[in-house]
Amino acid sequence: MKICVFGAGYVGLVAAACFAESGNSVITVDVDQAKIEGLKQGIIPIYEPGLKELVLRNQAEGRLSFTTDVEAAVKGSLINFIAVGTPPGEDGSADLQYVLAVGRSIGQHMQGYKIIVDKSTVPVGTADKVRAAVQEELDQRKVAYEFDVVSNPEFLKEGAAIDDFMKPDRVVIGTDNVRTAEIMKELYEPFMRKHNRMIVMDIRSAEMTKYAANAMLATRISFMNQIAGLCELMNADVAAVREGIGSDSRIGFDFLFPGPGYGGSCFPKDVKALIRTADECGYEMLLLKSVEEVNELQKQVLARKVLHLLGDPAAVKPLAGRTIACWGLSFKPRTDDMREAPSLTIIEELLANGAQVRAHDPEAMKEARKVLGDRITYSHNQYEILTGADALVIITDWNEYRNPDFERIMSELKDPLIIDGRNLYKPDRMRVAGFRYMPLGRNGSGISSGGK
């Protein structure tokens, strides 16, 4: 099939490369000339395992191309995917200006039947707005071309997006047109060889499915972070609790790891957008408002532990003269995404209290520097930042941090204090080795996410 993907960002680029890999002819359109020129030269603007190889192979074999020429892309494709950003507005609602701008562009240039697919995460009712935007352009042109608008939400995990797309646990297609549904099924059939979990539903239900899924996962994370906080106060072990409840087939283990809070491009903005959508309907999402509040509190927990253990309560800047080493900056491993990353809140709090901060991350330091600038020290060597530091704070659970050289950590740190926001190590072993080891929900320190 001939496909056009609007947006060469995370979702658009992954979708374009994967559709091309299954034999389709794919044009990727973006208004960012520099990004498009970079992609033509094999420069991938985001880090995602396996993506570069996929892009380069399909580009070399002529199935994947990049352009800023909207007119040519629309005219040359049957299916037009909208995969542009929907950043949160000041009130938390999704900003649809880019989605609707693409809809208008399609209406301006289409010369025949088109399937227009909302791949971006958009609020319920967006398909109606896209349909209206396209129709308005057709009316102005005084032409009558048939088109269908489809909701096809993405369920990609950063760090595993290629596998998620190529081997999806489900594909949701929202349409009220049987013919369009069959075309979409045909498009996704190569990814459904092991199991056919194609779910066709009405458009509004498809739009809601994406938000509901992310809100549920965010709720599980905040729930487990609150349980971790209570475990600390009660001297219980959150790892044992997780094993106990995760073994229940109705619950399962996924998204029950305590940590410094969720971040990234999806959960924070999608929870906010769903709350805002409910507010507009006069319905108060009490549970999700609490989920969001818990997450904001959780982002402060690691910094509060540092203040409690190393701060001088009598000083204006309690951490003045202290050096804190941080392992991990991205909101999760296997990505360079710094959007809503807990590390930003943690580091800002440490800096505000007078600490000097050094940081290492395998992929995200370039992105982190765009936000934090030169207010912290960066190093490509995870051990170099430990020399003379008062504590090591583990923020992101990269594999590089799971089995480090503990003897070297001990020799480099001024004080063998590790504050572990990801619970990577066995507390008993760490303490036998001579570390002051402070994980989440396991040490009975009383510094939990339950307070404000």
Side-chain angles (χ1 to χ4, degrees):
M1 293 189 188
K2 293 185 177 181
I3 298 170
C4 168
V5 177
F6 284 88
Y10 182 83
V11 173
L13 200 52
V14 170
C18 291
F19 280 134
E21 181 73 4
S22 63
N24 299 289
S25 176
V26 184
I27 303 173
T28 306
V29 188
D30 201 286
V31 296
D32 188 332
Q33 181 73 47
K35 182 186 287 186
I36 292 297
E37 290 303 318
L39 284 164
K40 288 179 178 179
Q41 298 170 30
I43 301 172
I44 310 302
I46 58 174
Y47 174 73
E48 176 63 34
L51 180 59
K52 183 173 183 177
E53 294 79 3
L54 210 61
V55 169
L56 294 180
R57 178 168 63 250
N58 284 281
Q59 194 174 13
E61 294 176 3
R63 292 187 298 270
L64 179 61
S65 61
F66 302 96
T67 185
T68 57
D69 188 341
V70 175
E71 181 176 0
V74 171
K75 288 180 178 179
S77 59
L78 167 65
I79 306 177
N80 294 259
F81 280 88
I82 302 177
V84 295
T86 54
E90 291 184 5
D91 61 356
S93 61
D95 185 346
L96 297 178
Q97 62 172 311
Y98 306 111
V99 170
L100 297 179
V102 172
R104 285 190 287 271
S105 293
I106 295 171
Q108 289 164 8
H109 299 297
M110 60 189 286
Q111 297 293 335
Y113 175 66
K114 300 293 178 185
I115 297 174
I116 302 167
V117 185
D118 281 336
K119 196 70 175 171
S120 302
T121 300
V122 293
V124 176
T126 298
D128 296 335
K129 295 178 180 179
V130 170
R131 186 180 290 109
V134 175
Q135 189 60 55
E136 183 179 343
E137 295 298 330
L138 294 177
D139 291 344
Q140 288 186 8
R141 292 171 58 195
K142 295 182 169 48
V143 294
Y145 296 123
E146 186 182 357
F147 67 95
D148 286 306
V149 179
V150 176
S151 175
N152 175 218
E154 54 85 13
F155 300 100
L156 307 179
K157 298 186 296 292
E158 293 190 44
I162 302 300
D163 273 352
D164 285 347
F165 200 103
M166 301 291 278
K167 304 172 186 176
D169 53 11
R170 82 284 202 199
V171 172
V172 172
I173 298 169
T175 180
D176 51 11
N177 187 305
V178 174
R179 177 187 63 173
T180 302
E182 290 304 313
I183 294 173
M184 293 297 294
K185 286 181 180 179
E186 182 181 347
L187 175 63
Y188 275 103
E189 194 275 334
F191 309 114
M192 294 278 122
R193 294 190 180 277
K194 288 189 176 181
H195 53 72
N196 188 357
R197 295 181 181 167
M198 202 92 68
I199 305 171
V200 180
M201 60 183 71
D202 65 275
I203 296 175
R204 287 189 166 230
S205 295
E207 291 171 331
M208 179 61 81
T209 295
K210 169 64 175 181
Y211 278 105
N214 279 355
M216 172 61 79
L217 296 175
T219 299
R220 286 170 66 93
I221 292 171
S222 285
F223 167 79
M224 205 60 194
N225 282 333
Q226 288 244 287
I227 294 297
L230 186 58
C231 283
E232 288 191 11
L233 294 170
M234 301 299 294
N235 201 24
D237 186 338
V238 73
V241 173
R242 178 180 179 273
E243 184 176 6
I245 65 173
S247 300
D248 188 326
S249 60
R250 298 167 299 175
I251 297 173
F253 289 99
D254 291 344
F255 290 85
L256 286 183
F257 289 99
Y262 60 75
S265 62
C266 294
F267 290 0
K269 75 177 182 66
D270 290 354
V271 169
K272 286 182 173 67
L274 193 52
I275 291 170
R276 177 61 180 172
T277 297
D279 286 344
E280 291 172 353
C281 295
Y283 185 78
E284 189 171 11
M285 299 289 280
L286 293 173
L287 178 60
L288 288 189
K289 288 180 178 180
S290 295
V291 166
E292 189 176 40
E293 182 180 6
V294 168
N295 194 57
E296 292 306 308
L297 290 171
Q298 191 68 20
K299 290 182 179 182
Q300 302 169 23
V301 167
L302 296 185
R304 285 168 50 198
K305 285 182 180 289
V306 175
L307 277 165
H308 176 79
L309 295 165
L310 297 177
D312 178 0
V316 176
K317 298 281 188 178
L319 294 175
R322 298 289 194 177
T323 299
I324 310 300
C326 296
W327 278 1
L329 292 167
S330 57
F331 87 94
K332 62 180 284 188
R334 296 170 63 83
T335 180
D336 61 353
D337 197 338
M338 289 294 299
R339 286 173 289 186
E340 300 283 345
S343 64
L344 297 177
T345 300
I346 295 163
I347 289 172
E348 290 289 1
E349 187 69 18
L350 295 175
L351 292 173
N353 281 279
Q356 293 185 345
V357 178
R358 305 171 187 165
H360 170 271
D361 188 283
E363 295 293 340
M365 288 191 290
K366 180 179 178 182
E367 293 300 312
R369 192 184 291 272
K370 293 177 182 178
V371 183
L372 296 167
D374 295 325
R375 293 181 294 150
I376 70 173
T377 301
Y378 308 88
S379 175
H380 291 284
N381 186 312
Q382 70 189 71
Y383 297 103
E384 185 177 76
I385 64 171
L386 304 180
T387 305
D390 294 283
L392 166 62
V393 178
I394 301 174
I395 302 174
T396 314
D397 50 335
W398 285 91
N399 283 338
E400 288 89 332
Y401 306 148
R402 292 185 176 276
N403 292 292
D405 185 338
F406 289 110
E407 290 185 4
R408 184 168 180 185
I409 295 174
M410 178 71 76
S411 66
E412 296 285 359
L413 287 173
K414 182 190 299 184
D415 179 356
L417 171 61
I418 298 180
I419 299 171
D420 185 357
R422 295 294 180 175
N423 290 5
L424 298 185
Y425 316 127
K426 299 289 187 182
D428 290 345
R429 292 181 185 176
M430 295 298 289
R431 286 162 190 152
V432 168
F435 287 97
R436 293 196 329 168
Y437 181 61
M438 303 295 175
L440 292 179
R442 303 179 79 173
N443 66 353
S445 68
I447 313 161
S448 74
S449 59
K452 296 186 179 181

